[in-house]
Amino acid sequence: MNTSEQQFLNALDDKLWKAADKLRSNLDAANYKHVVLGLIFLKYVSDAFEERQNELKELFQKDRDDNIYFMPREDYDSDEDYQQAIADELELLDYYQEKNVFWVPKTARWSTLKSAAALPIGSVVWQNEQGEDVKLRSISWLVDNALDEIEKANSKLKGILNRIGQYQLDNDKLIGLINSFSDTSFRTPEYRGQKLELHSKDILGHVYEYFLGQFALAEGKQGGQYYTPKSIVTLIVEMLEPYKGRVYDPAMGSGGFFVSSDKFIEEHAKEKHYNPAEQKKHISVYGQESNPTTWKLAAMNMAIRGIDFNFGKKNADTFLDDQHPDLRADFVMANPPFNIKDWWHAKLEGDVRWKYGTPPQGNANFGWMQHMLHHLAPTGSMALLLANGSMSSNTNNEGEIRKALIEADLVECMVALPGQLFTNTQIPACIWFLTKDKSSKADRRGRTLFIDARSLGYMKDRVLRDFTQVDIAKIAETFHAWQRGSGYQDQPGFCFSAELKDVQKHDFVLTPGRYVGAAEQEDDGEPFAEKMARLTAQLKTQFAESDRLEAEIKKNLAGLGYEL
């Protein structure tokens, strides 16, 4: 993305967030996200529909020799008949479905929404199929009606769009939000007079993702249940490289791993001069989520991106109601809630998934890991974000499970992450990379790569740390060089390729810091004895200065009638 495009998106984020934030006085973040994201979705489907409609108009109006779709103007009795014929043809469903564009009924289109919202409450906004006048009840009703109509017309969206009427919102604030979205061109964007090569799907997808992040920040701990920080998702996707195959996330939240996989494929296709749309046909995504609201957010996220998805028939508990029992995925990625205590059920006793040991009933970490391994294809790879305790804990069978995983040669790479990366927890985290086949790129059998990334990243604000693209590239390239068996070298303080005997020596503890050691210090050429003498003399001088200043302060206070 060039500078102008980035500046345009930053300005757009700021403008739309400020408009959306006006709803805060009426709603908390957990609720007003549904209002805002619902409007973003309506804007997207309407823009995509209009974009396709404009393409069709151009095709229909071509000269006779070039027009395979439509009869030319001269074959009609009048221009009025010709224009009416085009208008009728533009309302045929098949033209939109063939391009994977959602059908948007007239009463749900953004142009209808905008013009109707400008009318006084009680005004006639359209006539129904029976020819009866339909009057404007409220702006919330107008939006919900649009969502109803879109769901009815697109079976893929049935049951996933959240209605906003329940929140009893102020009409004027909703009108302001609709106007803010209307004032921005998502189809032909410009920035300071320069036309940008951004499509409405890219822009609205970016806005949707930005808003998810902002809502997660606003909601704090609760928000982290549906949002994994973008840089961590990007890091995992860059390391796993999901070019083609089945991608699965059993704790998908709002679907961030799928979005990043989609972007990764698109960028890879451009680099290799492939057709991105063709490349994406080689990927299929499968997800599961227990929270019904988050399940809907993820489905909307996929719909905005044009990603085909299978999230099961409903939201459901991954352990107790697996929506993809027969799936064997090529890539599995997840950021489940850390250290869940209340997860066990009697029916999980003796479950086929517990191949490496029954997980403790008071912690789901190794339950998630073994569920993912169960769904991993024989040549597949997986990445799992977990609390740091998973690397060293020996309580309640966790140590035995970890030992069994290591002895089965499943652990490919361990990455220790810096603190303060998450909006919802300060628990230190790590990434486990596992595979059932360590010989797919080079023979790495019997070896595990340890990466200590705790010193990487920067503080983006007072409380949150983030990775730069350089940080992500450093970690991913180290991993790929090790996988290929060429260009890799151990780097003290950062990475180390360990053999099974090294891990056994550390009692099967997988904390990277134990293996990578300390970073080499640069030799400044000063002999140690001389440096020690110099630093000791410097410290003595500083102590003396400290004593002098303390005496001066006491003297001044005494002059004011105070004593320390």
Side-chain angles (χ1 to χ4, degrees):
M1 190 175 294
N2 64 42
T3 305
S4 294
E5 290 170 345
Q6 191 62 62
Q7 288 174 340
F8 166 80
L9 290 174
N10 289 343
L12 181 65
D13 290 340
D14 187 55
K15 171 189 169 182
L16 296 180
W17 180 253
K18 283 177 180 174
D21 214 32
K22 291 175 183 175
L23 294 176
R24 266 222 231 189
S25 58
N26 297 69
L27 295 167
D28 62 25
N31 290 326
Y32 87 93
K33 73 168 175 274
H34 300 306
V35 179
V36 178
L37 295 175
L39 282 173
I40 291 174
F41 183 80
L42 280 177
K43 179 64 173 161
Y44 165 69
V45 293
S46 192
D47 271 21
F49 182 86
E50 286 181 19
E51 201 164 13
R52 176 59 177 156
Q53 207 167 54
N54 288 336
E55 284 176 8
L56 291 169
K57 278 182 188 175
E58 287 184 18
L59 289 171
F60 295 164
Q61 291 172 345
K62 281 187 173 183
D63 294 335
R64 182 187 294 274
D65 293 340
D66 297 326
N67 196 336
I68 61 171
Y69 288 91
F70 208 69
M71 291 190 299
R73 164 71 185 85
E74 54 265 31
D75 290 348
Y76 288 86
D77 294 335
S78 67
D79 188 61
E80 193 174 278
D81 289 345
Y82 173 59
Q83 295 300 336
Q84 184 58 51
I86 286 180
D88 292 341
E89 195 77 3
L90 288 172
E91 296 298 319
L92 294 180
L93 182 66
D94 290 348
Y95 286 123
Y96 301 89
Q97 287 185 334
E98 70 183 9
K99 291 291 184 180
N100 202 25
V101 172
F102 291 114
W103 173 258
V104 183
K106 286 182 179 178
T107 57
R109 292 172 198 170
W110 194 264
S111 54
T112 305
L113 203 69
K114 185 186 176 186
S115 58
L119 298 171
I121 301 299
S123 301
V124 175
V125 283
W126 58 74
Q127 289 186 322
N128 61 21
E129 291 178 358
Q130 290 74 39
E132 301 165 335
D133 288 343
V134 176
K135 294 181 179 179
L136 181 63
R137 301 177 205 168
S138 68
I139 308 303
S140 294
W141 167 83
L142 186 67
V143 173
D144 281 353
N145 177 77
L147 294 169
D148 285 340
E149 293 298 316
I150 288 170
E151 272 201 3
K152 285 177 194 171
N154 302 276
S155 57
K156 188 78 175 175
L157 299 176
K158 188 170 178 60
I160 72 165
L161 304 181
N162 277 305
R163 308 302 187 266
I164 70 170
Q166 60 186 304
Y167 302 122
Q168 299 177 340
L169 287 160
D170 181 87
N171 285 325
D172 289 339
K173 287 191 175 178
L174 269 178
I175 291 169
L177 201 50
I178 289 169
N179 289 337
S180 292
F181 282 113
S182 300
D183 290 343
T184 304
S185 174
F186 294 95
R187 286 193 288 126
T188 52
E190 289 188 8
Y191 185 72
R192 294 180 178 173
Q194 179 186 348
K195 286 190 176 180
L196 303 178
E197 293 295 317
L198 290 171
H199 301 290
S200 60
K201 183 181 80 170
D202 303 318
I203 299 169
L204 283 159
H206 165 88
V207 170
Y208 192 93
E209 188 174 9
Y210 172 78
F211 272 50
L212 282 174
Q214 291 300 105
F215 286 128
L217 282 171
E219 290 183 63
K221 186 174 181 179
Q222 189 68 23
Q225 292 184 6
Y226 62 81
Y227 185 79
T228 303
K230 184 180 175 183
S231 61
I232 300 177
V233 174
T234 302
L235 172 63
I236 288 174
V237 170
E238 289 287 338
M239 290 178 75
L240 285 186
E241 297 184 304
Y243 294 131
K244 60 183 179 180
R246 292 151 299 193
V247 179
Y248 173 53
D249 183 348
M252 68 183 179
S254 56
F257 282 113
F258 303 132
V259 170
S260 279
S261 297
D262 189 63
K263 288 180 183 173
F264 177 83
I265 294 163
E266 201 161 90
E267 288 306 310
H268 172 70
K270 288 176 185 173
E271 288 168 12
K272 302 290 184 182
H273 305 292
Y274 299 149
N275 181 332
E278 286 300 313
Q279 278 297 106
K280 288 179 187 181
K281 290 178 183 177
H282 300 301
I283 280 278
S284 49
V285 302
Y286 300 82
Q288 183 153 349
E289 173 60 44
S290 61
N291 184 295
T293 300
T294 308
W295 186 78
K296 291 179 179 181
L297 286 179
M300 286 170 64
N301 204 1
M302 298 304 103
I304 278 180
R305 306 275 179 180
I307 300 172
D308 196 29
F309 62 92
N310 181 344
F311 292 164
K313 294 178 181 177
K314 59 181 179 178
N315 60 287
D317 183 293
T318 298
F319 294 117
L320 298 174
D321 190 4
D322 190 346
Q323 294 289 293
H324 309 286
D326 301 320
L327 174 67
R328 296 297 177 267
D330 301 288
F331 302 97
V332 185
M333 301 176 256
N335 172 28
F338 296 164
N339 304 326
I340 296 181
K341 292 182 174 63
D342 186 21
W343 75 286
W344 185 260
H345 191 280
K347 65 161 66 171
L348 293 174
E349 194 67 53
D351 195 290
V352 68
R353 289 171 288 187
W354 315 148
K355 185 176 178 180
Y356 303 95
T358 302
Q361 296 183 14
N363 192 318
N365 287 346
F366 283 95
W368 286 112
M369 189 178 295
Q370 293 191 84
H371 172 86
M372 291 168 68
L373 278 167
H374 176 75
H375 282 288
L376 190 64
T379 57
S381 299
M382 61 172 265
L384 173 63
L385 269 161
L386 283 181
N388 274 0
S390 62
M391 299 188 288
S392 58
S393 171
N394 286 314
T395 58
N396 299 319
N397 204 38
E398 288 187 337
E400 290 303 311
I401 296 173
R402 190 171 56 252
K403 179 182 176 183
L405 293 168
I406 294 164
E407 290 181 334
D409 205 17
L410 294 169
V411 184
E412 186 173 28
C413 178
M414 298 297 302
V415 179
L417 296 172
Q420 295 178 269
L421 285 171
F422 298 87
T423 58
N424 63 321
T425 180
Q426 292 302 311
I427 298 173
C430 60
I431 312 174
W432 290 64
F433 288 87
L434 293 93
T435 183
K436 293 180 179 178
D437 182 11
K438 285 189 180 178
S439 60
S440 58
K441 295 177 182 175
D443 193 348
R444 294 159 285 118
R445 286 174 293 184
R447 287 192 165 273
T448 297
L449 177 64
F450 290 90
I451 296 177
D452 190 343
R454 289 177 297 170
S455 64
L456 300 184
Y458 69 101
M459 294 304 293
K460 62 189 293 187
D461 56 36
R462 288 186 304 106
V463 294
L464 275 178
R465 180 178 286 272
D466 204 359
F467 282 135
T468 65
Q469 284 299 320
V470 173
D471 295 329
I472 291 169
K474 179 180 180 179
I475 299 168
E477 286 167 9
T478 299
F479 180 55
H480 296 154
W482 177 81
Q483 281 185 316
R484 291 191 304 267
S486 63
Y488 170 80
Q489 281 189 326
D490 290 339
Q491 184 179 330
F494 179 64
C495 61
F496 180 77
S497 179
E499 296 179 30
L500 177 59
K501 63 182 181 182
D502 299 316
V503 181
Q504 288 172 330
K505 195 190 307 178
H506 287 285
D507 295 323
F508 298 95
V509 169
L510 295 177
T511 308
R514 293 197 177 200
Y515 298 88
V516 303
E520 292 178 349
Q521 298 299 312
E522 189 175 333
D523 185 3
D524 57 8
E526 185 178 11
F528 175 77
E530 291 179 17
K531 181 185 285 188
M532 196 65 187
R534 177 176 60 79
L535 292 174
T536 303
Q538 186 179 329
L539 188 60
K540 186 177 179 181
T541 303
Q542 288 170 343
F543 279 153
E545 178 65 9
S546 174
D547 290 342
R548 187 188 70 77
L549 290 171
E550 185 180 342
E552 191 72 26
I553 291 168
K554 286 179 178 177
K555 179 182 174 183
N556 290 338
L557 285 171
L560 295 170
Y562 294 95
E563 284 188 20
L564 278 177

